[in-house]
Amino acid sequence: MTAPAPLPEQSVAAGPGEHHAPPRADLHDAIGWCVFGAAVVAGSLTMDRLEQQNINPVTVPGLLPGLLGGAMVLLGLVLGVRSWRRGALAQPLPPPDADAREQRRRVAIAVALCLGYGVVLIGHGLPFWLASSIYVTGSILVFQRLSRDPAERAAGPRAWARALAIGVISSVVTWLVFEHLFLVRMP
């Protein structure tokens, strides 16, 4: 089986000022989404179904994550096919420019912050609202520090106070909504 001829770049609607990732980069992203979606589906299938509590099958734990994981796999496959049709296997990945390196660094920092929140802060004795306040406030301050705007990067007391207010308010509102509206116990 031979790979189809790459489609012309005009086939992908790109408006002025829009930037499309190279096909090889899209293929890498597609593989990543498929693997992550499959992991979410596998995790949702192993969740406790709470049969002893006569839970309605439409509301069993793991249903929504499983559907979202399946959607990630499906959309990852669509992205993979599209990148393959654009010639992902024939075109090498260009070396990353400064913007691409900066984006990768920001993604790595975001992943590290999320892992720190999920692995270190949650489930080890801190109340949910406090752990989430620390995470949100810290994330805001870290990404402000990484800003290209020098004024935003120089975080003064006002920026710290704003980040703290956003972190505490968003965390308390999230905790209240889940605990009292959705009746979900937070860790």
Side-chain angles (χ1 to χ4, degrees):
M1 186 170 155
T2 61
L7 297 176
E9 287 299 320
Q10 290 82 10
S11 67
V12 178
E18 290 184 28
H19 172 71
H20 286 283
R24 181 69 66 98
D26 276 350
L27 183 61
H28 291 171
D29 290 346
I31 293 169
W33 282 112
C34 287
V35 169
F36 182 64
V40 169
V41 169
S44 71
L45 291 175
T46 61
M47 291 180 84
D48 186 5
R49 297 282 178 251
L50 304 177
E51 291 96 357
Q52 69 276 12
Q53 296 181 11
N54 297 323
I55 299 291
N56 184 332
V58 177
T59 61
V60 295
L63 180 63
L64 181 60
L67 291 173
L68 292 174
M72 286 182 216
V73 170
L74 177 67
L75 294 176
L77 289 173
V78 170
L79 181 61
V81 168
R82 189 185 80 165
S83 65
W84 176 61
R85 293 185 69 200
R86 288 177 56 209
L89 300 177
Q91 300 175 12
L93 191 61
D97 59 4
D99 283 341
R101 286 192 297 274
E102 180 63 22
Q103 286 176 349
R104 288 181 184 170
R105 189 177 91 148
R106 287 174 174 260
V107 168
I109 289 170
V111 169
L113 288 169
C114 289
L115 286 175
Y117 175 63
V119 174
V120 177
L121 292 177
I122 294 292
H124 297 286
L126 280 179
F128 175 80
W129 68 267
L130 180 58
S132 297
S133 296
I134 293 169
Y135 166 72
V136 173
T137 303
S139 296
I140 291 171
L141 292 173
V142 165
F143 282 105
Q144 277 182 341
R145 189 75 181 137
L146 296 174
S147 174
R148 290 181 179 170
D149 180 9
E152 191 173 338
R153 218 176 24 245
R158 188 175 180 160
W160 280 77
R162 188 179 63 205
L164 183 62
I166 292 170
V168 170
I169 291 170
S170 65
S171 300
V172 169
V173 167
T174 301
W175 175 73
L176 287 173
V177 166
F178 273 87
E179 288 269 345
H180 297 287
L181 186 63
F182 298 147
L183 304 177
V184 175
R185 276 192 61 215
M186 303 305 281

